[in-house]
């Protein structure tokens, strides 16, 4: 009997972590010494924000993403809290708005100026006052605009509607009061219709965030959960915590039945909290341990064995906290599928680590970059509060692409209102086509009309371009960062066109050879 090795076919089997060079790190950053089990770092395509040490109150730094290297010791801070800042989160739909919560029992919403900070920012745009004790976590709703969730040491989760003119909001739209102890983590499903929480009583709960009711509750004693995460559209939850023997472990749950986990996996005997991160687009799970230097990653499947271990990124530098770049901020030309920002307190350093799929081609890789959630909300605050649910607005990561869902690529117009033909010749051709169409079946007519409409819209679109840029969708760059992004887009387009040109040259040479062979053959006859 022959033995066959059980290899799994996966395009992510060889993913590797690539740390940034020293000049591309953020050095001399006074990272907080807080003992809370939070990320302490938030990243978007414009800025990196990190909670910092500050005497006489709480503060955090907001550093432009391109401003790497050594940080000025007098760099301006965002400091308006009277107590230590415990959590910060960027608005997923506005790269210049960030929420922070603090030991002073308040949540503040900050507008970050587009130009560099020249002095400390102390004035927030909105202040949310409702918790009786310190606020440990904040989370933005994943699809609805201006909806923020907060959880405090008063065991309450509060839902805030920021779509008001008030600068100080004292009454949340909903208070969820079903927990018996401090809430340790919160996670939304893809559409934001369900909220999962873990609590210090080690129970996992799935809540209806609008009604505030508990839909499911885990009463399993063999796994003491610390962090929880919805796994995209797989209808599964993943939790990290400890086993009965105090081993760190991950557990996978069916979101409709939290009685027993689908699978459990012990990792090691360390004591640091495990932070899970899930990439919906690649079905990859990353597990980052506080105080560890390594990052484990798995591929998640809908069927057994569910969690397929790939490998781990190893480093000697332990992370205090970690930030994650949204997918729209990744470098697709280098096949980067995830990017971490490690907070290394021993060196006062923030080190970016890119997870890369090794590919030889430098062109855009469609298979590893499916449509992903963009920076546009699919619901208003009022629509979500009234009971509507929608998935995220999807965008393509291909440079220069547009939205793929929830709004048409171009405005649809009936053919009768389309532009008049540009020349008599075109007019006569149109007349001939119409006469031909009159003699064809209805289904072919509709197909041809649709095709002609698409071609005409494409021609109109071409007239909007000036020197390769869409003058409506891509206004001239106003900042250095925008200029760099446009430059990289141009580089990617040039690279793609070169490849296309090389392919065309090969085809032309093949045709020339075939013609030459045909001539030789005909002369022989």
């Amino acid at each position: 009997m022959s033995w066959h090795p059980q290899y799994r076919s996966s395009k992510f089997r060889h993913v590797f972590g690539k740390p940034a060079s020293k000049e591309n790190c953020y050095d001399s950053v006074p990272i907080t010494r807080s003992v809370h089990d939070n990320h302490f770092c938030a990243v978007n395509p414009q800025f990196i924000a990190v909670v910092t040490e500050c005497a006489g109150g709480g503060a955090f730094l907001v550093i432009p993403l391109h401003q790497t290297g050594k940080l000025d010791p007098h760099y301006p801070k965002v400091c308006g809290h009277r107590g230590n800042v415990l959590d910060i989160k960027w608005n997923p739909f506005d790269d210049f708005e960030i929420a922070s919560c603090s030991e002073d029992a308040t949540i503040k919403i900050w507008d970050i100026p587009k130009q560099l900070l020249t002095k400390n920012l102390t004035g927030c745009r909105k202040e949310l006052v409702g918790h009786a004790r310190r606020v440990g976590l904040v989370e933005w709703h994943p699809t609805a605009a201006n909806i923020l969730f907060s959880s405090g040491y008063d065991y309450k989760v509060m839902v805030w509607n920021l779509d008001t003119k008030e600068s100080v909001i004292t009454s949340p739209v909903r208070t969820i009061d079903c927990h018996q102890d401090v809430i340790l983590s919160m996670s939304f499903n893809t559409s934001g219709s369900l909220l999962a929480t873990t609590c210090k009583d080690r129970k996992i709960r799935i809540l209806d965030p609008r009604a505030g009711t508990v839909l499911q509750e885990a009463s399993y004693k063999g796994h003491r959960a610390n962090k929880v995460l919805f796994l995209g559209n797989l209808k599964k939850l993943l939790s990290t915590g400890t086993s009965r023997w105090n081993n760190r472990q991950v557990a996978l749950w069916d979101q409709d039945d939290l009685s027993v986990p689908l699978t459990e996996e012990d990792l090691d005997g360390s004591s640091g909290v495990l932070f899970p991160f899930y990439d919906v687009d690649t079905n990859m799970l990353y597990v980052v341990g506080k105080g560890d230097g390594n990052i484990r990653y798995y591929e998640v499947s809908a069927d057994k064995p569910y969690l397929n271990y790939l490998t781990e990124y190893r480093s000697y530098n332990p992370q205090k906290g970690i930030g994650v770049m949204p997918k729209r901020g990744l470098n697709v030309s280098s096949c980067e599928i995830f990017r971490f920002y490690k907070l290394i307190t021993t060196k006062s350093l923030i080190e970016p680590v890119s997870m890369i799929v090794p590919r030889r081609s430098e062109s855009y890789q469609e298979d590893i970059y499916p449509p992903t959630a963009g920076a546009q909300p699919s619901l208003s605050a009022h629509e979500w509060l009234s009971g509507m649910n929608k998935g995220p607005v999807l965008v393509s990561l291909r440079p220069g692409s547009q939205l793929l869902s929830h709004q048409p690529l171009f405005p649809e117009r009936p053919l009768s209102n389309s532009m008049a033909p540009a020349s008599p010749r075109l007019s006569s051709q149109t007349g001939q086509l119409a006469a031909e169409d009159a003699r064809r079946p209805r289904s072919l007519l509709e197909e041809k009309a649709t095709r002609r409409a698409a071609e005409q819209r494409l021609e109109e679109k071409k007239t909007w371009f000036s020197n390769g840029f869409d003058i409506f969708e891509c206004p001239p760059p106003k900042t250095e960062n925008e200029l760099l992004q446009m430059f990289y887009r141009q580089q990617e387009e040039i690279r793609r066109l070169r490849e296309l040109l090389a392919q065309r040259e090969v085809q032309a040479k093949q045709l020339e050879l075939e013609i030459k062979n045909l001539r030789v053959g005909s002369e022989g006859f």
Side-chain angles (χ1 to χ4, degrees):
M1 182 176 174
S2 61
W3 177 76
H4 296 282
Q6 297 297 312
Y7 289 120
R8 283 187 68 255
S9 176
S10 169
K11 64 187 79 168
F12 304 111
R13 196 154 53 102
H14 301 292
V15 170
F16 66 95
K18 181 181 179 182
S21 57
K22 182 73 173 177
E23 58 268 19
N24 290 321
C25 295
Y26 305 83
D27 202 357
S28 303
V29 182
I31 300 164
T32 180
R33 294 187 179 89
S34 173
V35 295
H36 278 80
D37 294 327
N38 283 347
H39 297 156
F40 299 124
C41 181
V43 189
N44 70 21
Q46 302 290 338
F47 300 105
I48 176 168
V50 59
V51 180
T52 181
E53 282 296 303
C54 181
F60 59 95
L61 294 166
V62 175
I63 308 166
L65 205 68
H66 63 271
Q67 192 175 324
T68 54
K70 198 166 185 177
L71 191 73
D72 185 345
H74 303 293
Y75 191 85
K77 298 180 176 69
V78 181
C79 49
H81 285 287
R82 296 184 300 277
N84 290 331
V85 174
L86 299 182
D87 197 15
I88 48 176
K89 293 283 166 55
W90 288 105
N91 186 339
F93 312 120
D94 185 351
D95 288 345
F96 298 91
E97 184 175 86
I98 190 169
S100 63
C101 63
S102 165
E103 289 181 347
D104 63 10
T106 66
I107 303 114
K108 293 180 188 286
I109 311 298
W110 307 85
D111 278 339
I112 305 301
K114 295 188 179 181
Q115 65 275 17
L116 290 176
L117 286 172
T118 55
K119 60 181 181 178
N120 287 352
L121 182 63
T122 55
C124 63
R125 183 167 67 85
K126 287 186 186 296
E127 185 174 8
L128 316 180
V129 183
H131 286 281
R133 298 179 65 189
R134 56 187 171 180
V135 187
L137 293 168
V138 285
E139 286 288 345
W140 293 91
H141 193 277
T143 60
N146 296 313
I147 294 290
L148 184 74
F149 283 67
S150 63
S151 70
Y153 279 64
D154 52 4
Y155 312 159
K156 293 177 181 176
V157 176
M158 293 188 178
V159 187
W160 305 89
N161 180 7
L162 307 182
D163 196 8
T164 63
K165 294 180 180 178
E166 301 170 22
S167 58
V168 179
I169 304 173
T170 55
S171 54
V173 292
R174 169 70 61 189
T175 300
I176 303 171
D177 191 4
C178 61
H179 297 87
Q180 308 300 317
D181 212 323
V182 177
I183 297 134
L184 301 175
S185 73
M186 297 188 290
S187 175
F188 286 99
N189 65 345
T190 308
S191 65
S193 60
L194 296 174
L195 175 68
T197 63
T198 52
C199 183
K200 212 168 182 179
D201 61 11
R202 302 305 184 189
K203 288 184 179 179
I204 300 171
R205 294 174 176 87
I206 297 179
L207 314 171
D208 181 336
R210 280 175 289 234
T213 54
V214 179
L215 305 177
Q216 292 278 333
E217 186 175 291
S219 55
Y220 183 70
K221 302 294 183 186
H223 174 78
R224 296 187 295 240
N226 195 294
K227 303 291 179 184
V228 69
L229 198 63
F230 268 103
L231 298 183
N233 296 317
L234 295 177
K235 294 204 169 185
K236 289 178 175 58
L237 287 171
L238 182 117
S239 64
T240 61
T242 54
S243 68
R244 293 182 185 183
W245 296 275
N246 280 335
N247 288 326
R248 292 197 300 186
Q249 68 175 192
V250 294
L252 194 71
W253 309 78
D254 182 346
Q255 76 176 39
D256 298 322
D257 180 15
L258 298 183
S259 56
V260 178
L262 297 171
T263 182
E264 294 173 275
E265 184 172 329
D266 284 15
L267 299 184
D268 53 39
S270 300
S271 58
V273 170
L274 294 170
F275 296 115
F277 298 94
Y278 182 65
D279 184 358
V280 181
D281 303 330
T282 60
N283 291 330
M284 283 185 66
L285 170 74
Y286 302 87
V287 180
V288 183
K290 182 180 177 182
D292 298 357
N294 60 340
I295 299 171
R296 299 175 176 89
Y297 37 104
Y298 304 77
E299 201 167 3
V300 184
S301 57
D303 306 313
K304 286 185 178 182
Y306 304 116
L307 289 177
N308 301 290
Y309 176 74
L310 294 173
T311 184
E312 64 180 337
Y313 163 76
R314 293 172 181 266
S315 166
Y316 293 110
N317 299 318
Q319 54 255 0
K320 162 83 173 184
I322 201 137
V324 172
M325 173 65 77
K327 292 300 282 278
R328 55 195 175 86
L330 299 181
N331 182 5
V332 296
S333 62
S334 65
C335 297
E336 182 184 35
I337 57 169
F338 218 74
R339 191 190 303 160
F340 294 99
Y341 287 79
K342 292 177 54 171
L343 306 186
I344 305 168
T345 48
T346 53
K347 294 186 173 182
S348 297
L349 187 75
I350 304 175
E351 180 186 50
V353 177
S354 299
M355 311 308 293
I356 292 172
V357 179
R359 295 279 174 96
R360 290 189 178 181
S361 174
E362 292 184 351
S363 61
Y364 179 74
Q365 305 291 308
E366 197 84 47
D367 60 324
I368 61 174
Y369 295 116
T372 190
Q376 181 177 330
S378 52
L379 291 168
S380 67
H382 175 72
E383 286 172 335
W384 183 78
L385 290 168
S386 64
M388 287 180 66
N389 290 319
K390 275 188 184 176
V393 176
L394 299 180
V395 296
S396 170
L397 294 180
R398 182 185 287 277
S401 60
Q402 300 183 19
L403 297 180
L404 297 178
S405 67
H406 295 300
Q407 76 174 38
L409 215 56
F410 306 108
E412 294 289 341
R413 290 180 295 185
L415 283 172
S416 58
N417 293 335
S418 58
M419 292 174 67
S423 67
R425 183 180 172 187
L426 187 59
S427 176
S428 64
Q429 288 175 353
T430 309
Q432 288 173 8
L433 286 170
E436 287 174 14
D437 288 344
R439 296 191 292 271
R440 295 190 182 182
R442 183 67 185 163
S443 59
L444 288 174
L445 265 177
E446 289 174 355
E447 185 184 343
K448 198 167 183 69
T450 308
R451 198 183 306 124
R452 258 210 314 274
E455 286 172 359
Q456 187 167 10
R457 285 197 300 274
L458 190 61
E459 286 299 317
E460 288 177 23
K461 183 71 178 171
K462 282 179 183 175
T463 62
W464 297 348
F465 279 76
S466 171
N467 197 23
F469 289 99
D470 187 336
I471 57 177
F472 294 114
E473 296 294 334
C474 296
K478 296 178 182 176
T479 64
E480 186 183 350
N481 198 28
E482 287 179 9
L483 188 65
L484 275 171
Q485 287 179 354
M486 199 165 281
F487 169 74
Y488 291 137
R489 276 196 213 119
Q490 270 193 333
Q491 291 296 310
E492 175 64 26
E493 186 65 18
I494 290 167
R495 197 179 293 115
R496 188 183 68 80
L497 289 171
R498 277 179 180 160
E499 285 189 358
L500 197 62
L501 187 62
Q503 289 173 7
R504 294 288 185 271
E505 285 176 355
V506 170
Q507 289 173 359
K509 285 177 182 176
Q510 287 175 345
L511 286 170
E512 284 174 7
L513 193 60
E514 285 178 15
I515 291 167
K516 190 175 179 181
N517 290 337
L518 285 170
R519 281 177 182 166
V520 170
S522 60
E523 286 171 6
F525 285 109

